[in-house]
């Protein structure tokens, strides 16, 4: 069964898809893989899970560091036949994250008691237990009903669930407990903020009253409608329209992609509330003012990031598509389109992906 067919089935079922089992393998996320067998080295998956499990000791946004490594590993699984320069570029981004160059690590948290590099360190060896993965979904259920920090609660949880469902030997108590604590940091978080022009500045989303009635945002209540709406947003991007806030279209995309993963990996009961929160996220973003007159047109890249030219041109932007965001968006785009069955629309969206980079 392909992913699109699975999602059609799972979103119509509210339970019974999560079949936890006991994994007694003596494994832990600290162990390095024996040999490289994927386009992106598996060591990034291991270090990424370690960092996600420790991020709560720094801040909720420190979750970016580990999540980007896990996402980077899966890009190699999603697209195993890209030019080597693409994988080298992705691993270069991930190496910079590990080296402490992300803005979301200790640079963001002035009171941080640990360095970025410490996030990726091994945990003591523990037995794995796949049934513990449900704890991440339980933590997410407490804050999924409204957008939280541009969808990062769902983005981080879904990336972790995807990784651990596919590699349950890494589902150890330390990893699961740490990721649960990371997701719990979003319980009282606001939806993010938007920039409403010079006169108003940035305003948090929970202080914004959205217009009554039809504001042009397509209505949807299920995964299919959400994915259709997201692909249309990607296809219809116009650099003359420059909106700033709520994580930009990058995070609206990644938020939607994460919800498709919740459906696929055994948590369809979370999907209705998640889709409703995503619709609010999209509405907040769409109702931002166009600030192109103030900030200029929305910048975009000359080349698609899945091509070698993007990485070898010497024009890889680091001012907008930060180290952690670029990789998560490539990963998220593929998760999104795998939940869709319109090849022509997928091709159009792929061609516009460089507008996010």
């Amino acid at each position: 069964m392909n992913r699109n067919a699975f999602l059609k089935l799972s979103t119509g079922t509210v339970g019974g898809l999560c079949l936890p089992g006991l994994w007694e393998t003596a494994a832990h996320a600290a162990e390095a893989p024996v040999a490289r067998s994927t386009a992106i080295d598996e060591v990034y998956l291991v270090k990424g899970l370690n960092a996600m499990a420790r991020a709560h000791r720094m801040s909720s946004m420190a979750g970016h560091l580990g999540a980007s490594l896990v996402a980077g590993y899966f890009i190699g699984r999603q697209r195993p036949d890209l030019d080597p320069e693409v994988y080298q570029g992705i691993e270069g981004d991930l190496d910079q994250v590990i080296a402490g160059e992300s803005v979301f690590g200790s640079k963001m948290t002035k009171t941080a008691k640990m360095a970025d590099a410490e996030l990726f360190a091994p945990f003591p060896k523990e037995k794995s237990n796949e049934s513990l993965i449900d704890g991440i979904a339980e933590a997410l259920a407490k804050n999924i009903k409204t957008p939280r920090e541009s969808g990062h609660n769902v983005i981080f949880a879904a990336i972790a669930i995807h990784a651990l469902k596919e590699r349950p030997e890494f589902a150890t108590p330390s990893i699961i407990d740490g990721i649960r604590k990371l997701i719990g940091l979003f319980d009282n978080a606001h939806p993010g903020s938007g920039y409403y022009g010079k006169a108003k500045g940035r305003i948090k989303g929970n202080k914004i009253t959205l217009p009554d009635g039809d504001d042009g945002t397509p209505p949807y209540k299920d995964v299919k409608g959400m994915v259709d709406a997201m692909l249309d947003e990607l296809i219809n991007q116009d650099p003359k329209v420059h909106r700033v806030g709520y994580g930009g279209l990058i995070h609206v995309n990644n938020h939607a992609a994460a919800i498709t993963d919740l459906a696929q990996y055994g948590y369809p009961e979370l999907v209705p509330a998640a889709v409703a929160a995503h619709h609010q996220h999209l509405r907040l973003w769409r109702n931002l003012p166009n600030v192109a007159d103030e900030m200029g047109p929305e910048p975009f890249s000359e080349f698609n990031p899945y091509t070698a030219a993007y990485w070898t041109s010497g024009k890889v932007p680091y001012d907008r598509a930060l180290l952690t965001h670029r990789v998560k968006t490539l990963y998220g785009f593929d998760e999104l389109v795998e939940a869709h069955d319109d090849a022509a629309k997928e091709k159009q969206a792929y061609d516009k992906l460089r507008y996010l980079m």
Side-chain angles (χ1 to χ4, degrees):
M1 181 183 295
N2 63 31
R3 189 168 194 239
N4 181 61
F6 180 91
L7 287 170
K8 287 180 179 178
L9 174 64
S10 67
T11 52
T13 307
V14 178
L17 290 183
C18 183
L19 303 173
L22 188 63
W23 290 73
E24 292 295 347
T25 306
H28 59 112
E31 291 178 308
V34 174
R36 179 170 180 152
S37 59
T38 55
I40 301 293
D41 199 318
E42 191 173 279
V43 71
Y44 294 108
L45 171 65
V46 176
K47 290 185 176 182
L49 288 170
N50 290 338
M52 291 190 76
R54 285 195 179 89
H56 69 93
R57 302 183 189 178
M58 190 174 286
S59 73
S60 62
M61 291 295 98
H64 280 85
L65 281 67
S68 67
L69 267 66
V70 176
Y73 165 77
F74 278 111
I75 292 171
R77 295 276 302 277
Q78 292 167 327
R79 295 182 180 248
D81 300 318
L82 297 173
D83 289 335
E85 291 85 355
V86 179
Y87 303 127
Q88 292 166 10
I90 291 170
E91 290 190 349
D93 274 11
L94 304 182
D95 289 340
Q96 290 183 70
V97 171
I98 294 170
E101 296 183 29
S102 169
V103 300
F104 294 107
S106 56
K107 292 179 181 178
M108 174 176 281
T109 310
K110 295 180 180 180
T111 59
K113 297 180 180 179
M114 60 193 311
D116 290 9
E118 295 177 81
L119 295 173
F120 306 96
F123 279 96
K125 184 177 291 187
E126 296 176 320
K127 288 184 178 181
S128 60
N129 183 345
E130 187 180 5
S131 68
L132 296 176
I133 301 171
D134 290 349
I136 299 174
E138 291 170 2
L140 180 61
K142 297 178 181 179
N143 56 42
I144 201 172
K145 293 182 179 180
T146 61
R148 307 283 184 173
E149 290 286 4
S150 305
H152 280 106
N153 57 329
V154 187
I155 294 167
F156 293 160
I159 285 176
I161 287 170
H162 179 177
L164 294 167
K165 287 285 188 174
E166 291 204 11
R167 299 295 300 274
E169 67 268 29
F170 296 138
T172 63
S174 291
I175 294 295
I176 301 297
D177 183 62
I179 294 173
R180 288 190 63 163
K181 289 177 179 177
L182 169 63
I183 305 308
L185 293 180
F186 292 96
D187 284 355
N188 298 310
H190 57 76
S193 65
Y195 181 66
Y196 290 86
K198 288 182 179 179
K200 296 181 178 180
R202 292 196 78 99
I203 305 175
K204 292 178 181 178
N206 56 345
K207 304 295 184 182
I208 294 296
T209 300
L210 291 167
D212 293 330
D214 184 7
D215 62 0
T217 305
Y220 52 82
K221 295 184 178 180
D222 56 22
V223 169
K224 183 181 184 303
M226 176 186 69
V227 173
D228 280 337
M230 273 311 310
L231 293 180
D232 286 339
E233 290 295 330
L234 291 171
I235 291 166
N236 294 322
Q237 290 175 88
D238 181 353
K240 295 178 182 178
V241 178
H242 191 167
R243 300 183 179 106
V244 177
Y246 304 112
L249 195 55
I250 282 176
H251 286 91
V252 184
N253 172 85
N254 294 351
H255 188 180
I259 294 168
T260 71
D261 275 352
L262 292 179
Q264 180 177 5
Y265 289 100
Y267 303 102
E269 69 277 8
L270 296 179
V271 168
V275 169
H278 183 273
H279 192 257
Q280 185 182 355
H281 186 183
L282 180 59
R283 289 190 71 204
L284 285 166
W285 181 77
R286 285 178 59 102
N287 279 279
L288 284 167
N290 182 4
V291 293
D293 288 346
E294 177 184 341
M295 296 187 171
E298 182 84 15
F300 60 91
S301 297
E302 181 179 356
F303 303 105
N304 188 289
Y306 288 117
T307 66
Y310 177 89
W311 300 95
T312 60
S313 66
K315 300 178 181 179
V316 178
Y318 285 97
D319 53 341
R320 302 178 58 239
L322 301 175
L323 292 174
T324 62
H325 288 153
R326 177 181 9 253
V327 174
K328 293 206 307 298
T329 302
L330 292 173
Y331 161 82
F333 176 77
D334 269 4
E335 293 299 281
L336 190 75
V337 299
E338 283 181 15
H340 201 264
D341 56 5
D342 186 334
K345 181 173 282 192
E346 291 172 17
K347 173 64 166 58
Q348 288 178 288
Y350 170 86
D351 290 342
K352 297 296 285 288
L353 188 60
R354 64 192 177 93
Y355 284 73
L356 298 183
M357 299 289 167

